Amino acid sequence: MDGIVEAFRLLFSFDPEIYEVIGLSIVVSLIATLLSSIIGIVFGVVLGVKSFPFKKWIININYAFMGLPPIVVGLFVLLVISNKGPMGRFELLFTPIAMIIAQVFLVTPIISALVYGTVKNNGIRIIELCRTLGGTPIDVLILLLKELKQTILIAITTGFGRAISEVGAVMIVGGNIKHSTRVMTTYIALNNSMGDYSKSIAMGIVLLLLAVFVNTFVHKMAEE
Amino acid sequence: MKKLQRGLRLLVIISTNKYIKWLILVATGLVITMVIILCLNHTSRDPLVIAAGTTLENSGFLDHFIPIFEEAYGIDVEIISVGSGQAIELAKNGDVDLLFIHSPDAEIQFVKEGFGILRQIIMHNNFYLVGPKSMVGEFEDSNATSNIYSAFQKIHDAHLPFLSRGDYSGTHIKELEIWTHLNILPDDKTYSSIGKGMSSVLEMANELGGLTLVDRGTFLMMKSQLNLQIITRDDVHLINQYSVVSLNPSVNQNLNVKAADQFMNWLLNEKIQKEIGEFGVDQYGEAVYFPDGVK
C-alpha cells in the first residue's frame, strides 16, 4: 500500500490545493451547521413545548426528513436555483452558497428532531421551574439550553458530521469546481475516478481525523 | 419606564451570561466568514463558466491552458467537467456561459435549434479501442486492429466484455454511432453501461479487464497506471473533434458573453493553436491534440 505512504507525503507537502479544499469543506459545513442549529433548536424547542394544530403531522414530517437522501436534496436545490428555476436570477448554482443551502436542508431536520426529543421529555419540567422562579422567556431559553446542552451538543455534532461527509448534494449543486466549490468529499471522488488513490487516501485521512476530532472534542465539552 | 428596565435587564443578562457570550462570539465569527465568502463571490470579476467534456479535464488540457487564459485576460474561469450530453443540457438552461465539448452532431443540432450562435472547431485527435493484453489475440485476424467496425463486430460475436460511457458524452455518442452502423443493439451481459466520466470508466476497464473506447488525451494521461493497451487504431472512423460553441444570449439571461467570446478567440489565436499542437510532447514524446482552429 504505497498509496498510504504517498498520502502522508502529500499531506505534509504544503500543496495549496489541499488546504483550499479542506478549508472550504470546514467553512461550508460549519456555516450550514450553525444556521441549521439556530433554526433547528428554535423549532425543536417550540415543537417540544407548545401545542398547535397539525403538531403530530409536523413531528412526523420532521422525523421523515431526517432520512432525506442527500443527492435528492441536491437535485431539488438544483432545480430551484438553476438559471431556469424560480431562484435562477440569483446565480447561485455552482457556488459555495448553494452548497450551504443544500446542507442546511439536510442538517436542520436532524437537529430539530433531536432537540424536540429531549425537550419533550425534560423541557416542561425546566420551563415550569423557571417560570415559578420568575424567569423571562430569555431566562427560560438559556436554562433550557444549559440543562439540555449535552443533547443539544450531540445534535449539533451529528448535524456537522452529516454535513461534512456528504458528497451527493454538494457535487450536484456545487459542481466540484477547482478552487471554487471543491470540498473534501468531492475531491476524493474525483481523484478516485482518475485512479489517483494516494490523493484520495490523503484527503480521506484528513476527513476521518476531522470527523473524529470534532466528535471527541464536543463530547468532552458536553461532559463538563 | 418598565419596558426600559426590562430591556436593560435583558442586556445585562446577555452580556454577562457565559453561554450567550460564547454564542455571540461564534456567531460573529461565522457572520464575518459568510460576509467574506459573499464578497469573494460577488466582487470577484464575473467568472466565465465553461461546460467542458470530462476528456479535456482528464487529459490535463484544461489544467495547462486555463491558467494561461486567466492570467492573460484577468478572468476567473470555472470549469464544470461533465459528459457532453450533460454539458448541452446545462447550456440550454443557461447555467454555463460556453460549451467546449466533442460531440459534433449534437453541437450542430444545438446551434440549429437556436441555443447556440457560433460553433468553432478547435482541435482533434483520435479515439482508441483499448483493452487488456490478454485480449490482443482475439483481434489479430481480420483487420480489426485498424477498422473499428470489424473490431466491434468481433466484440459482439465473441461476447467480449465492453464498458460503455453510457452518459451521452462525445465518447459515448461515437461508440453508439459504430453500433448503429453495424445494426447491432448491444444487450449482452458482457456490455456494461457505466454512466461516468472518461477516467472513471477507464479505471473500471482496467480493474475489470474489459474493453472500452477512450480518447487519446485521457489514455496518454493515465497509461502509466493502467494495464491496458491500444487494440484498434482507426484514423478514418475514430476521429475525435473538439469545438467551442457560444450560447445565444436571447435564450438565457445572465450569460457572460464577453468573456466567452474572448475565450473562443483566444483558443483560435495562432500562438495558442501552436501551443495546442505542442501539448504533451514533453511528457509523452508525441502531441496529444492536433490544432484545427481557423478564425
Side-chain angles (χ1 to χ4, degrees):
Chain A
M1 269 274 116
D2 26 39
I4 301 187
V5 172
E6 182 65 32
F8 276 102
R9 205 180 319 148
L10 268 168
L11 277 173
F12 295 109
S13 69
F14 297 118
D15 180 6
E17 198 197 345
I18 294 207
Y19 296 126
E20 246 182 350
V21 166
I22 296 174
L24 186 67
S25 297
I26 295 177
V27 167
V28 165
S29 296
L30 213 54
I31 294 180
T33 308
L34 179 75
L35 288 171
S36 305
S37 303
I38 296 173
I39 303 173
I41 291 175
V42 168
F43 202 63
V45 166
V46 166
L47 218 54
V49 166
K50 285 213 176 292
S51 58
F52 44 83
F54 299 116
K55 178 167 163 166
K56 259 228 162 90
W57 283 81
I58 295 183
I59 293 172
N60 285 328
I61 292 175
N62 193 343
Y63 278 126
F65 274 24
M66 277 177 83
L68 278 174
I71 199 163
V72 171
V73 171
L75 195 60
F76 172 73
V77 174
L78 170 76
L79 292 172
V80 170
I81 63 177
S82 157
N83 199 31
K84 281 233 143 47
M87 305 226 340
R89 89 187 85 98
F90 296 109
E91 293 188 54
L92 290 171
L93 187 59
F94 304 136
T95 64
I97 298 180
M99 296 157 77
I100 293 175
I101 293 174
Q103 290 192 346
V104 166
F105 275 112
L106 283 170
V107 174
T108 308
I110 296 175
I111 295 181
S112 86
L114 288 172
V115 167
Y116 160 71
T118 190
V119 167
K120 177 179 72 161
N121 295 327
N122 308 312
I124 315 265
R125 215 180 4 101
I126 296 170
I127 290 172
E128 280 174 4
L129 183 65
C130 196
R131 288 249 178 83
T132 53
L133 292 177
T136 61
I138 290 274
D139 291 329
V140 171
L141 189 65
I142 295 172
L143 193 62
L144 261 176
L145 292 179
K146 204 166 160 182
E147 290 297 310
L148 305 172
K149 81 170 170 184
Q150 192 141 3
T151 316
I152 291 178
L153 274 167
I154 291 177
I156 296 178
T157 326
T158 310
F160 180 77
R162 170 89 131 137
I164 204 151
S165 346
E166 78 85 25
V167 62
V170 292
M171 184 72 92
I172 290 191
V173 305
N176 196 20
I177 301 173
K178 197 171 184 176
H179 302 309
S180 176
T181 57
R182 191 165 289 178
V183 290
M184 289 194 271
T185 48
T186 55
Y187 180 91
I188 292 173
L190 175 66
N191 282 286
N192 211 45
S193 80
M194 303 209 336
D196 212 332
Y197 294 122
S198 49
K199 284 196 175 153
S200 314
I201 294 173
M203 195 61 84
I205 293 173
V206 174
L207 185 54
L208 189 65
L209 288 174
L210 184 71
V212 167
F213 173 75
V214 166
N215 267 276
T216 316
F217 179 71
V218 174
H219 285 181
K220 273 247 133 67
M221 263 180 61
E223 252 148 54
E224 283 155 22
Chain B
M1 197 54 201
K2 202 135 188 247
K3 274 210 174 132
L4 193 63
Q5 276 184 335
R6 275 193 77 197
L8 281 168
R9 254 194 78 212
L10 218 67
L11 218 61
V12 169
I13 293 175
I14 289 177
S15 58
T16 54
N17 184 288
K18 177 171 71 157
Y19 290 94
I20 300 279
K21 265 204 269 234
W22 187 82
L23 202 71
I24 288 180
L25 206 71
V26 172
T28 320
L30 276 148
V31 168
I32 292 178
T33 323
M34 233 189 311
V35 169
I36 293 177
I37 290 186
L38 272 161
C39 282
L40 285 173
N41 211 31
H42 281 272
T43 64
S44 85
R45 345 160 245 211
D46 192 11
L48 172 63
V49 185
I50 304 179
T54 61
T55 52
L56 285 169
E57 170 157 59
N58 297 151
S59 67
F61 180 87
L62 295 174
D63 278 342
H64 176 93
F65 283 94
I66 295 295
I68 301 175
F69 173 76
E70 286 182 313
E71 185 74 42
Y73 285 80
I75 298 177
D76 284 329
V77 176
E78 298 192 347
I79 300 289
I80 316 282
S81 177
V82 288
S84 306
Q86 191 180 352
I88 287 186
E89 280 313 303
L90 286 173
K92 282 186 179 170
N93 285 332
D95 287 323
V96 296
D97 301 314
L98 193 67
L99 277 174
F100 189 1
I101 55 178
H102 58 143
S103 197
D105 289 338
E107 294 159 23
I108 293 169
Q109 183 68 18
F110 183 78
V111 173
K112 216 182 197 168
E113 287 172 0
F115 291 106
I117 296 220
L118 189 58
R119 176 177 173 257
Q120 291 273 32
I121 300 172
I122 304 294
M123 60 204 191
H124 77 273
N125 61 16
N126 304 60
F127 289 110
Y128 301 128
L129 175 69
V130 299
K133 253 187 243 248
S134 54
M135 281 203 197
V136 174
E138 303 266 358
F139 294 86
E140 240 136 45
D141 54 341
S142 78
N143 54 349
T145 51
S146 60
N147 183 316
I148 193 63
Y149 295 132
S150 307
F152 267 42
Q153 186 70 53
K154 180 78 197 193
I155 292 175
H156 180 80
D157 293 337
H159 305 290
L160 298 174
F162 183 87
L163 284 83
S164 164
R165 287 286 300 279
D167 60 352
Y168 296 107
S169 55
T171 314
H172 185 217
I173 301 275
K174 178 62 80 180
E175 179 216 321
L176 290 175
E177 276 171 12
I178 303 169
W179 292 123
T180 310
H181 179 99
L182 292 170
N183 251 317
I184 296 176
L185 192 67
D187 57 355
D188 265 326
K189 283 204 197 83
T190 54
Y191 179 84
S192 316
S193 185
I194 309 297
K196 289 182 105 175
M198 191 70 250
S199 60
S200 305
V201 172
L202 197 57
E203 254 304 299
M204 290 177 75
N206 189 40
E207 286 286 318
L208 300 171
L211 297 143
T212 193
L213 207 62
V214 63
D215 65 292
R216 178 183 168 84
T218 309
F219 186 64
L220 282 176
M221 182 58 134
M222 292 177 66
K223 195 157 90 165
S224 54
Q225 316 154 222
L226 305 169
N227 287 324
L228 301 170
Q229 58 181 70
I230 298 176
I231 304 232
T232 304
R233 213 186 287 253
D234 185 335
D235 290 334
V236 177
H237 303 115
L238 287 182
I239 300 291
N240 177 21
Q241 188 185 74
Y242 289 91
S243 324
V244 170
V245 184
S246 60
L247 309 186
N248 188 345
S250 28
V251 175
N252 285 298
Q253 273 65 56
N254 303 325
L255 293 183
N256 191 347
V257 180
K258 178 161 174 250
D261 286 339
Q262 282 178 311
F263 184 73
M264 192 188 253
N265 289 322
W266 179 80
L267 275 179
L268 294 168
N269 175 293
E270 227 179 279
K271 186 162 155 274
I272 301 301
Q273 283 281 305
K274 182 159 172 285
E275 192 158 346
I276 290 177
E278 288 163 1
F279 175 71
V281 175
D282 288 335
Q283 215 174 339
Y284 312 115
E286 41 183 340
V288 182
Y289 299 100
F290 303 100
D292 288 321
V294 192
K295 270 233 178 107

